[in-house]
Amino acid sequence: MSTFSRGTSGPSGGAGLQNSLQTPRSAEQSIHDGIRGLKHIARELFEESSEIKEKFEALLKELGRLGLWVDCGDTPRGLQPMRSNAACRVLEKINETLQDLRVRIESMRNVETTEDTKDLLDCLDETREAAVDLQSIILEAGIPGELPPPAPRAFFGRDNLIEKIVRLGENFTPIALIGAGGIGKTSIALTVLHHDRIKERFGVNRRFIRCDQFPASHLHFLARLSKVIGAGVENPDGLAPLRPLLSTKKMIIVLDNADSILDPQGPNSQEIYAAVEELCQFETVCVCITSRITTVPRNCKRPRIPTLSMEAACEIFYGIYGDEERYNHIDILLRCLDFHPLSITLLATTASHNMWDPDRLTKEWYEHRAQVLRTDHNESLAATIELSLASPTFRNLDPITRGLLGVVAFFPQGVAEKNLDWLFPTIPDRKNIFDKFCVLSLAHRSNGFVTMLAPIRDYLSPQDPQSSPFLCAVKERYLTRLSVHLSPNEGEFVEAEWIKSEDVNVEHLLDVFTSVNTGASNVWDSCAKFMEHLYWHKPQQTALRSKIEGLPDDHRSKPRCLFELARLLGLVGNYVDAKAVLAHALTLEREWGDVSRVARALRTLASVHLMLGLRKEGIEQAEKALEMYKRLGDMVGQAESLHSLAQLLLYDDQLDAAEDAASQPIRFLPERGEEYSLCKSHRVLGEIYRSKGEKKKAIYHLETALGIASPFCWRTELFSIHYDLASLFHTRKDFDSANLHAQRAKSHTVDHVHHLGRAMEMQARIWCRQRRLEDARSEALAALGIYEKLGVAQDAGRCDNLLRRIERAMSMRSRSPSSEPDILREIFFGYATLLLRG
């Protein structure tokens, strides 16, 4: 049977097609015979010429789609004889070019020149173009059904996804492309529909139905399906009249925007769903669905549709914007859009229409955000989002759902699913509502959160946070949760680890509400508590710093916020800034006259001076803090001051005085209830005895500290203890033990990047001592990268020196391996003091 004839009868059936496309049978046979001869000669002459071979194979594919060539046999399985004048003219042209090809190939048997090769390639191109023209003529001449829209011109960054979908299509597997509006579902489907392998598999039987362009009813869907596939059945009441065609023709059908007919709450949705599900059962039909909702036939494969890569996003943006130069702040804007294809297209179109330079575009984006994503022709992200909000499933939800959607949109991370009961206790159907957000692709699940793409968040987030009762209620719950007393010895300390997963949300919440109500003491007190949570559970820089420093000095919350900020800065290695912030906090606390807070600021400042090498100033401040705590009768405060004093005395080479200071808390602190301070006392004593060369005592106190800290899982202390043990065994040349403790120190650096850098630096020193120079260099480079990213110049400088010495040793070893021991001795001589001091 002809490739293009139809196996069904009716007004648009095969008979009409055969009568309209007639041409002498001899023309087809002549082309077929010509190709057989050409192929034999081509195989003989051009086995080594990949370009000629590729173009010849491409020509055969195009002719094969027309049925004008088969790989074996004496007769083509081509078209029925055609009488179309246009088709006949093109067939004659193909015949002529094939004869020309034969002449050129024959002439190249004896002599082959570059010009001959070029002429042959041009002739192959001309013949292939004629074959493509003939396909278009045939399709225009009355092939039943409708052609799909063209593939998008600008399509980047989805090669792996397209390949996956094409493979599914070739195997007739039903496919569902599900995702948020504007993610690129339709573009992906059209690209697949025009893919060469899909063309080869399905020929002209590639169909495309826009499901949002007809009423959502069973009858309308079937009528549209019948027309698009060319069945010729008027108003079918089921799939039965269409089955003969569907079961005999290899066909791919895209149901675009299928959510408009498959929405479970829509009219007739059950009947339409059943029809689409049956359509997916045909072994000769591949159904590809694009939809915002997830309720698609159960046997559909659902390849994940990711957002774009930076490179693909830039290709799209600059392809529309037209500027060949690439700008860093445009890259930042693309990240702000979460690499969402539609948003990028709209942003570039708006910038192009208005002739904005990159600076103006950046200014407009930060001032107006989602409002910029609207073109002069009223294309907008808002229209896409509102289409989802207009769906029957969304409209049938509780009226409060728009408010809840605003809460999800407000938070950068979205809302943690495990917190739904805690955040929304008065909403009985909360879990179902959040499920529906995901069903509608307004939100998606990621790492335990229900979240949104950034452009959708920008559109749906409340413009005035204080006017949203849901958001204000959520804010109060977070502030209450932050207000707990954090003591490492108490149960609430472990529960406060929730901040590790929600630090970004809490920081954003505080940033927004300190902006809209700068005088609110409860919000600013919560800022201080937030940084205290970070200090204990996730040390890192905070975006709230500039706002805290900008508070008026007479604001009662400022000294407390400054103190917690300084502690955080110190813990991430930014000691210079920590000192400046602490000095400011100390001045304000003295003005307020709170002796306990003054003592706390002095003690903390002493510890910062220790890290800056300002031992004399630190000793003086630690002693003042100790006296204040004695007057107040604060035993824990005294212990903490003595810890700081002991370490300062240690690094000032007053080892006996340091030992005395570190030993005192062990004598007066109770064993129960103050385990954290006791742990620190033993750790500091271990460090002192290590410096004094008393190995047994050092190991005893460090292992005692380890025994106290382990049940409580105090990561900071556990890191410090293992780090000190690694240093101890390193100096004693017990490299196996040193490596063991360095690895354990690294294992306790979760959520503490600065500690990770220190552990990697220690590991590099140990490996260098073991002559594992390549490993040491790799570890030192990683540590240096961490320090540079954190902006801790002192640590970066020290690590850079270590790296230089390692590289120097590697260089000298490669030139003179026999001198390696002397080189290593030279390297570590310079580190002796550093190693002794940890």
Side-chain angles (χ1 to χ4, degrees), residues 332-528:
I332 294 171
L333 290 186
L334 298 180
R335 286 193 182 92
C336 290
L337 293 172
D338 263 356
F339 304 114
H340 179 247
L342 176 61
S343 298
I344 293 167
T345 301
L346 293 172
L347 186 72
T349 304
T350 301
S352 176
H353 286 178
N354 290 293
M355 301 182 68
W356 289 340
D357 61 27
D359 290 333
R360 173 69 186 278
L361 175 58
T362 302
K363 181 176 182 291
E364 292 291 334
W365 167 256
Y366 283 112
E367 286 183 3
H368 303 293
R369 306 289 290 189
Q371 298 173 37
V372 176
L373 303 179
R374 177 184 292 277
T375 71
D376 291 337
H377 295 99
N378 288 327
E379 298 174 289
S380 69
L381 179 66
T384 298
I385 297 172
E386 289 298 334
L387 189 62
S388 296
L389 300 181
S391 69
T393 292
F394 186 83
R395 292 200 308 268
N396 285 351
L397 291 172
D398 191 285
I400 62 176
T401 53
R402 185 71 183 243
L404 292 179
L405 202 58
V407 173
V408 179
F410 175 82
F411 289 106
Q413 293 175 282
V415 174
E417 285 199 90
K418 64 183 180 182
N419 288 342
L420 293 183
D421 294 342
W422 168 68
L423 287 172
F424 310 105
T426 61
I427 302 172
D429 204 23
R430 49 190 171 270
K431 291 182 179 178
N432 178 57
I433 291 172
F434 278 80
D435 284 344
K436 289 298 186 290
F437 292 162
C438 296
V439 166
L440 292 164
S441 296
L442 288 166
H444 61 274
R445 290 180 168 89
S446 175
N447 299 321
F449 286 80
V450 175
T451 188
M452 296 177 180
L453 293 172
I456 301 176
R457 286 205 319 267
D458 280 335
Y459 180 76
L460 293 173
S461 185
Q463 296 299 306
D464 177 11
Q466 293 190 108
S467 67
S468 168
F470 296 103
L471 186 55
C472 288
V474 167
K475 178 200 73 172
E476 293 304 321
R477 294 186 182 282
Y478 271 114
L479 299 193
T480 300
R481 197 175 194 184
L482 285 169
S483 66
V484 299
H485 176 62
L486 288 182
S487 170
N489 304 301
E490 297 176 7
E492 288 181 326
F493 182 81
V494 176
E495 294 175 9
E497 289 188 349
W498 64 270
I499 200 66
K500 291 179 180 179
S501 62
E502 295 207 49
D503 57 303
V504 175
N505 275 352
V506 175
E507 186 174 68
H508 179 69
L509 178 78
L510 295 171
D511 186 30
V512 169
F513 278 94
T514 51
S515 298
V516 298
N517 190 357
T518 56
S521 294
N522 66 327
V523 177
W524 285 108
D525 287 344
S526 295
C527 279

Side-chain angles (χ1 to χ4, degrees), residues 243-268:
R243 285 175 189 153
L245 177 60
L246 292 171
S247 60
T248 56
K249 291 295 179 185
K250 294 177 181 178
M251 187 178 300
I252 183 169
I253 304 171
V254 172
L255 302 180
D256 190 44
N257 292 331
D259 45 287
S260 60
I261 59 173
L262 293 178
D263 192 310
Q265 303 298 322
N268 304 303

Side-chain angles (χ1 to χ4, degrees), residues 820-833:
E820 182 179 322
D822 294 331
I823 297 165
L824 292 173
R825 195 176 301 114
E826 177 188 344
I827 292 170
F828 288 104
F829 179 78
Y831 273 98
T833 303

